[in-house]
Amino acid sequence: MGTSDAVRALTAAKMVCKDVAAIDINMGCPKSFSVSGGMGAALLSKPELIHDILTMLKRNLDVPVTCKIRLLKSSQDTVELARRIEKTGVSALAVHGRKVADRPRDPAKWGEIADIVAALSIPVIANGDVFEYDDFQRIKTAAGASSVMAARGALWNASIFSSQGKLHWEDVKREYVRKSIFWENNVKSTKHTLKEMIMHYSSLELPEGKAIIKSETLADIAKLYEEEKYYQFVNENRFLVNGSR
């Protein structure tokens, strides 16, 4: 979750802590909606606040606490911050291999993640430029990380996790629509994922993209992808569907 206040972070965490495996604090998001509120990457320049937030959560929650950061101006600065974070007692640290000013097209610096891995005793999760199945092992080996996090690669095509190779994005998209209908996924979340897929593989300026933007409900999306019968079946049998969860 994003936060800029230790007390508020604990209040929010207590609301969900019994329903999740861990609480992770995002300290790497460079988007304006995040940093304008003092959250995400805005925390990277406030180590004392980072300490307050993480220690507050660690002292008052029974679930593991983790966080994610980006690289700082120098590898030494990042390592120093990572060590301070480790001292708060977090269970793991995720590191995105780019600096705040870097663009998505700039290559992730896996080597600088390796510097952090070498300096810490807690697990380090490597993130950045994971777009193919083989990239998981490549970044894990290059950084020496305990595990790997995928973001855009998984958003564009979730079959990135298959060792058999990625499926065509159209097939993944259709299955995603059906899963969203089945699980009553939030329509804004569904639209966001579909728009990301379409922007990557096609264009939002084409009829499909424009229709997604105009969609207001899952029923609209089901109609767009000719899944009306499936949508109707799921909703007519919602009691049975809920019972199978």
Side-chain angles (χ1 to χ4, degrees), residues 5-40:
D5 181 270
V7 174
R8 193 181 305 128
L10 179 60
T11 300
K14 284 184 174 180
M15 294 176 67
V16 300
C17 65
K18 293 183 179 180
D19 300 308
V20 299
I23 296 293
D24 181 78
I25 302 301
N26 185 323
M27 300 181 179
C29 180
K31 299 292 186 180
S32 59
F33 72 83
S34 184
V35 296
S36 63
M39 303 179 291

Short mmCIF file of all heavy atoms in Angstrom, two decimals, residues 5-40:
data_model
loop_
_atom_site.label_atom_id
_atom_site.label_comp_id
_atom_site.label_asym_id
_atom_site.label_seq_id
_atom_site.Cartn_x
_atom_site.Cartn_y
_atom_site.Cartn_z
N ASP A 5 2.22 8.29 6.24
CA ASP A 5 1.98 8.52 7.66
C ASP A 5 1.94 7.19 8.40
O ASP A 5 1.18 6.29 8.03
CB ASP A 5 0.66 9.26 7.84
CG ASP A 5 0.35 9.56 9.30
OD1 ASP A 5 -0.30 8.71 9.94
OD2 ASP A 5 0.76 10.62 9.78
N ALA A 6 2.74 7.05 9.44
CA ALA A 6 2.87 5.79 10.16
C ALA A 6 1.57 5.36 10.83
O ALA A 6 1.17 4.19 10.77
CB ALA A 6 3.99 5.88 11.19
N VAL A 7 0.90 6.29 11.49
CA VAL A 7 -0.34 5.96 12.21
C VAL A 7 -1.43 5.57 11.22
O VAL A 7 -2.15 4.58 11.42
CB VAL A 7 -0.80 7.16 13.07
CG1 VAL A 7 -2.15 6.86 13.70
CG2 VAL A 7 0.24 7.46 14.14
N ARG A 8 -1.55 6.33 10.14
CA ARG A 8 -2.55 6.00 9.13
C ARG A 8 -2.24 4.66 8.47
O ARG A 8 -3.14 3.89 8.16
CB ARG A 8 -2.62 7.12 8.09
CG ARG A 8 -3.85 7.02 7.18
CD ARG A 8 -3.86 8.14 6.15
NE ARG A 8 -3.77 9.45 6.78
CZ ARG A 8 -2.89 10.37 6.45
NH1 ARG A 8 -2.02 10.15 5.49
NH2 ARG A 8 -2.89 11.54 7.06
N ALA A 9 -0.96 4.38 8.27
CA ALA A 9 -0.56 3.11 7.68
C ALA A 9 -0.99 1.94 8.55
O ALA A 9 -1.51 0.93 8.06
CB ALA A 9 0.95 3.08 7.47
N LEU A 10 -0.81 2.09 9.85
CA LEU A 10 -1.20 1.03 10.77
C LEU A 10 -2.72 0.85 10.79
O LEU A 10 -3.21 -0.28 10.79
CB LEU A 10 -0.70 1.34 12.18
CG LEU A 10 -1.07 0.31 13.25
CD1 LEU A 10 -0.48 -1.06 12.90
CD2 LEU A 10 -0.57 0.76 14.63
N THR A 11 -3.45 1.94 10.77
CA THR A 11 -4.91 1.87 10.75
C THR A 11 -5.39 1.11 9.52
O THR A 11 -6.27 0.24 9.61
CB THR A 11 -5.52 3.29 10.74
OG1 THR A 11 -5.10 3.99 11.92
CG2 THR A 11 -7.04 3.21 10.73
N ALA A 12 -4.82 1.43 8.37
CA ALA A 12 -5.20 0.75 7.13
C ALA A 12 -4.79 -0.72 7.15
O ALA A 12 -5.56 -1.60 6.75
CB ALA A 12 -4.57 1.46 5.94
N ALA A 13 -3.59 -0.98 7.65
CA ALA A 13 -3.09 -2.36 7.68
C ALA A 13 -3.94 -3.25 8.57
O ALA A 13 -4.20 -4.41 8.25
CB ALA A 13 -1.64 -2.38 8.15
N LYS A 14 -4.40 -2.71 9.70
CA LYS A 14 -5.23 -3.49 10.62
C LYS A 14 -6.57 -3.87 9.99
O LYS A 14 -7.16 -4.89 10.36
CB LYS A 14 -5.46 -2.71 11.91
CG LYS A 14 -4.25 -2.71 12.84
CD LYS A 14 -4.57 -2.01 14.15
CE LYS A 14 -3.42 -2.14 15.14
NZ LYS A 14 -3.71 -1.46 16.44
N MET A 15 -7.02 -3.08 9.03
CA MET A 15 -8.30 -3.37 8.38
C MET A 15 -8.20 -4.61 7.49
O MET A 15 -9.20 -5.28 7.24
CB MET A 15 -8.75 -2.16 7.55
CG MET A 15 -9.09 -0.94 8.36
SD MET A 15 -9.51 0.49 7.33
CE MET A 15 -11.06 -0.08 6.61
N VAL A 16 -7.00 -4.90 6.99
CA VAL A 16 -6.86 -6.00 6.02
C VAL A 16 -5.92 -7.11 6.48
O VAL A 16 -5.82 -8.15 5.82
CB VAL A 16 -6.35 -5.46 4.66
CG1 VAL A 16 -7.33 -4.44 4.09
CG2 VAL A 16 -4.96 -4.85 4.80
N CYS A 17 -5.25 -6.94 7.59
CA CYS A 17 -4.17 -7.86 7.96
C CYS A 17 -4.62 -9.30 8.16
O CYS A 17 -3.83 -10.24 7.99
CB CYS A 17 -3.42 -7.36 9.20
SG CYS A 17 -4.40 -7.30 10.71
N LYS A 18 -5.90 -9.51 8.49
CA LYS A 18 -6.38 -10.88 8.67
C LYS A 18 -6.75 -11.55 7.35
O LYS A 18 -7.05 -12.75 7.32
CB LYS A 18 -7.58 -10.89 9.62
CG LYS A 18 -7.23 -10.49 11.05
CD LYS A 18 -8.44 -10.59 11.96
CE LYS A 18 -8.07 -10.20 13.39
NZ LYS A 18 -9.25 -10.28 14.31
N ASP A 19 -6.72 -10.79 6.28
CA ASP A 19 -7.11 -11.32 4.97
C ASP A 19 -5.95 -11.37 3.98
O ASP A 19 -6.15 -11.71 2.81
CB ASP A 19 -8.23 -10.46 4.37
CG ASP A 19 -9.47 -10.45 5.24
OD1 ASP A 19 -9.94 -11.54 5.60
OD2 ASP A 19 -9.96 -9.36 5.56
N VAL A 20 -4.75 -11.02 4.43
CA VAL A 20 -3.59 -11.00 3.53
C VAL A 20 -2.42 -11.76 4.14
O VAL A 20 -2.38 -12.01 5.35
CB VAL A 20 -3.16 -9.55 3.21
CG1 VAL A 20 -4.29 -8.80 2.51
CG2 VAL A 20 -2.74 -8.82 4.48
N ALA A 21 -1.47 -12.11 3.29
CA ALA A 21 -0.29 -12.86 3.74
C ALA A 21 0.78 -11.93 4.30
O ALA A 21 1.62 -12.35 5.10
CB ALA A 21 0.28 -13.68 2.59
N ALA A 22 0.78 -10.68 3.87
CA ALA A 22 1.79 -9.72 4.32
C ALA A 22 1.33 -8.30 3.98
O ALA A 22 0.41 -8.12 3.20
CB ALA A 22 3.14 -10.01 3.66
N ILE A 23 2.01 -7.33 4.57
CA ILE A 23 1.77 -5.93 4.26
C ILE A 23 3.03 -5.38 3.61
O ILE A 23 4.12 -5.45 4.18
CB ILE A 23 1.44 -5.11 5.52
CG1 ILE A 23 0.14 -5.59 6.17
CG2 ILE A 23 1.37 -3.63 5.18
CD1 ILE A 23 -1.11 -5.34 5.34
N ASP A 24 2.88 -4.82 2.40
CA ASP A 24 4.02 -4.25 1.69
C ASP A 24 3.81 -2.75 1.49
O ASP A 24 2.74 -2.33 1.08
CB ASP A 24 4.19 -4.93 0.32
CG ASP A 24 5.38 -4.38 -0.43
OD1 ASP A 24 6.51 -4.78 -0.10
OD2 ASP A 24 5.19 -3.56 -1.35
N ILE A 25 4.84 -1.98 1.77
CA ILE A 25 4.77 -0.54 1.60
C ILE A 25 5.50 -0.14 0.32
O ILE A 25 6.68 -0.43 0.14
CB ILE A 25 5.40 0.21 2.80
CG1 ILE A 25 4.68 -0.20 4.10
CG2 ILE A 25 5.30 1.71 2.59
CD1 ILE A 25 3.20 0.10 4.11
N ASN A 26 4.78 0.55 -0.57
CA ASN A 26 5.34 0.99 -1.83
C ASN A 26 6.14 2.27 -1.60
O ASN A 26 5.58 3.30 -1.26
CB ASN A 26 4.22 1.24 -2.85
CG ASN A 26 4.74 1.58 -4.23
OD1 ASN A 26 5.75 2.27 -4.38
ND2 ASN A 26 4.05 1.09 -5.24
N MET A 27 7.43 2.17 -1.81
CA MET A 27 8.31 3.33 -1.66
C MET A 27 9.05 3.61 -2.97
O MET A 27 10.11 4.23 -2.97
CB MET A 27 9.32 3.08 -0.54
CG MET A 27 8.67 2.84 0.81
SD MET A 27 9.86 2.59 2.12
CE MET A 27 8.76 2.37 3.54
N GLY A 28 8.46 3.14 -4.08
CA GLY A 28 9.15 3.30 -5.35
C GLY A 28 8.34 3.93 -6.46
O GLY A 28 8.88 4.29 -7.51
N CYS A 29 7.03 4.07 -6.28
CA CYS A 29 6.18 4.60 -7.36
C CYS A 29 6.52 6.06 -7.63
O CYS A 29 6.43 6.90 -6.74
CB CYS A 29 4.70 4.46 -7.00
SG CYS A 29 3.60 5.09 -8.29
N PRO A 30 6.88 6.40 -8.89
CA PRO A 30 7.23 7.78 -9.23
C PRO A 30 6.08 8.59 -9.80
O PRO A 30 6.25 9.75 -10.16
CB PRO A 30 8.31 7.58 -10.30
CG PRO A 30 7.84 6.37 -11.04
CD PRO A 30 7.16 5.47 -10.01
N LYS A 31 4.89 7.98 -9.88
CA LYS A 31 3.74 8.66 -10.48
C LYS A 31 3.31 9.85 -9.62
O LYS A 31 3.39 9.81 -8.40
CB LYS A 31 2.58 7.69 -10.64
CG LYS A 31 2.86 6.49 -11.54
CD LYS A 31 3.05 6.91 -12.98
CE LYS A 31 3.19 5.71 -13.90
NZ LYS A 31 3.36 6.10 -15.32
N SER A 32 2.81 10.88 -10.29
CA SER A 32 2.46 12.11 -9.58
C SER A 32 1.37 11.90 -8.53
O SER A 32 1.40 12.53 -7.48
CB SER A 32 2.01 13.18 -10.59
OG SER A 32 0.89 12.74 -11.34
N PHE A 33 0.40 11.00 -8.83
CA PHE A 33 -0.68 10.79 -7.86
C PHE A 33 -0.14 10.22 -6.56
O PHE A 33 -0.75 10.37 -5.50
CB PHE A 33 -1.74 9.85 -8.44
CG PHE A 33 -1.33 8.41 -8.55
CD1 PHE A 33 -1.41 7.55 -7.47
CD2 PHE A 33 -0.85 7.91 -9.75
CE1 PHE A 33 -1.04 6.22 -7.57
CE2 PHE A 33 -0.48 6.57 -9.87
CZ PHE A 33 -0.56 5.73 -8.77
N SER A 34 1.02 9.58 -6.63
CA SER A 34 1.62 8.98 -5.44
C SER A 34 2.55 9.96 -4.72
O SER A 34 2.38 10.24 -3.53
CB SER A 34 2.40 7.72 -5.83
OG SER A 34 2.91 7.06 -4.69
N VAL A 35 3.50 10.52 -5.45
CA VAL A 35 4.48 11.40 -4.81
C VAL A 35 3.87 12.72 -4.35
O VAL A 35 4.35 13.34 -3.39
CB VAL A 35 5.67 11.68 -5.75
CG1 VAL A 35 6.43 10.39 -6.04
CG2 VAL A 35 5.22 12.32 -7.05
N SER A 36 2.79 13.15 -5.01
CA SER A 36 2.15 14.41 -4.59
C SER A 36 1.56 14.30 -3.19
O SER A 36 1.40 15.29 -2.48
CB SER A 36 1.06 14.82 -5.59
OG SER A 36 0.02 13.86 -5.63
N GLY A 37 1.24 13.06 -2.80
CA GLY A 37 0.72 12.84 -1.46
C GLY A 37 1.79 12.39 -0.48
O GLY A 37 1.48 11.95 0.63
N GLY A 38 3.05 12.50 -0.90
CA GLY A 38 4.15 12.12 -0.03
C GLY A 38 4.38 10.62 0.04
O GLY A 38 5.13 10.13 0.90
N MET A 39 3.75 9.89 -0.88
CA MET A 39 3.85 8.43 -0.87
C MET A 39 4.85 7.96 -1.93
O MET A 39 5.49 8.76 -2.61
CB MET A 39 2.48 7.81 -1.13
CG MET A 39 1.41 8.22 -0.14
SD MET A 39 -0.21 7.49 -0.49
CE MET A 39 -0.66 8.35 -2.01
N GLY A 40 4.97 6.65 -2.08
CA GLY A 40 5.81 6.09 -3.13
C GLY A 40 7.24 6.59 -3.07
O GLY A 40 7.87 6.63 -2.00
#
